[in-house]
Amino acid sequence: AQSVSQHNHHVILSEAASLELGCNYSYGGTVNLFWYVQYPGQHLQLLLKYFSGDPLVKGIKGFEAEFIKSKFSFNLRKPSVQWSDTAEYFCAVSTYSSASKIIFGSGTRLSIRP
Amino acid sequence: DAGITQSPRHKVTETGTPVTLRCHQTENHRYMYWYRQDPGHGLRLIHYSYGVKDTDKGEVSDGYSVSRSKTEDFLLTLESATSSQTSVYFCAISTSSGPDYEQYFGPGTRLTVT
């Protein structure tokens, strides 16, 4: 069964710092990859997704992620964070053979100091 | 928000009582899901449905049952609530059963079992 690991549980940055959140998955076949964000008190929203093609995926709010198949990774990046990026971020994976089920990582809480 | 509502939004119940949570969608999507969110665990899939009367188990289905008698409604039932089922429950829909799809989440139900 596939699984997702997010090794950073809590990241604290100052405004304008660069961000990289790690995500590794375990599955040997074709995967679909997602990053979701959950702002305080709100439900999950899709930031970006990868299904095929260009491994560098651009999402909303200036976020991007790079799929590195050899490393089973899909790290999220943003060159300059803002206080409004304070939220919890979830990486998720589904396999093409089981596209109806998405498995989530445990999440990374991002705190931005103004 | 893909027209997803959940009811109730908050509930406090006693151990041993039955509880039913309702998810309602307005856009006729085939796939619907129930997740629970707990600190340190991210979102975990409880059950999902791929059509009327068609359901399957997720990662943490013990103690939960589901029903889908209409396309628009997906019910989650805790037959005899336990304190370990205190959590935030999210319903989700998938926009497609094909390879390119997105999941949209409802606003969540906060359940406390005392």
Side-chain angles (χ1 to χ4, degrees):
Chain A
Q2 67 267 33
S3 65
V4 181
S5 298
Q6 294 181 246
H7 303 294
N8 309 109
H9 298 295
H10 188 194
V11 173
I12 303 173
L13 295 173
S14 298
E15 276 196 314
S18 64
L19 169 72
E20 181 160 3
L21 301 183
C23 173
N24 290 91
Y25 65 92
S26 65
Y27 184 73
T30 303
V31 292
N32 302 322
L33 296 158
F34 309 83
W35 275 99
Y36 283 84
V37 61
Q38 186 178 32
Y39 297 104
Q42 297 187 26
H43 58 88
L44 273 76
Q45 302 170 42
L46 182 67
L47 269 180
L48 49 78
K49 62 181 180 180
Y50 171 81
F51 283 88
S52 63
D54 189 343
L56 185 61
V57 180
K58 294 193 183 300
I60 62 171
K61 303 179 189 281
F63 287 91
E64 65 179 29
E66 185 174 13
F67 170 48
I68 303 179
K69 189 174 181 179
S70 61
K71 295 185 178 180
F72 298 90
S73 70
F74 190 56
N75 291 355
L76 182 71
R77 300 195 292 246
K78 186 172 185 179
S80 177
V81 295
Q82 303 170 316
W83 180 81
S84 58
D85 293 324
T86 295
E88 190 152 18
Y89 293 80
F90 295 93
C91 182
V93 63
S94 71
T95 65
Y96 190 87
S97 62
S98 181
S100 58
K101 294 198 288 187
I102 298 180
I103 303 300
F104 285 80
S106 57
T108 296
R109 186 156 65 98
L110 176 64
S111 300
I112 305 298
R113 291 190 292 249
Chain B
D1 62 1
I4 305 168
T5 57
Q6 293 184 229
S7 59
R9 295 292 313 280
H10 301 270
K11 186 168 182 66
V12 180
T13 191
E14 293 184 350
T15 298
T17 59
V19 177
T20 295
L21 308 183
R22 179 177 181 246
C23 177
H24 179 78
Q25 56 141 334
T26 59
E27 299 186 3
N28 213 36
H29 294 293
R30 180 182 171 194
Y31 282 84
M32 298 184 75
Y33 309 79
W34 277 108
Y35 291 89
R36 60 178 290 174
Q37 184 179 25
D38 305 289
H41 291 279
L43 273 79
R44 291 179 290 176
L45 181 64
I46 305 172
H47 282 280
Y48 70 101
S49 169
Y50 46 95
V52 173
K53 299 193 189 317
D54 292 323
T55 65
D56 203 353
K57 296 179 179 180
E59 307 168 76
V60 290
S61 58
D62 288 348
Y64 301 94
S65 63
V66 290
S67 66
R68 193 165 178 204
S69 58
K70 298 185 291 184
T71 300
E72 58 265 35
D73 290 326
F74 191 32
L75 304 181
L76 176 71
T77 298
L78 291 66
E79 301 290 346
S80 178
T82 67
S83 58
S84 65
Q85 294 176 312
T86 292
S87 186
V88 180
Y89 291 86
F90 286 98
C91 175
I93 61 92
S94 179
T95 55
S96 170
S97 59
D100 188 0
Y101 61 93
E102 296 180 12
Q103 277 199 349
Y104 290 92
F105 288 81
T109 294
R110 184 174 295 276
L111 176 67
T112 302
V113 183
T114 61

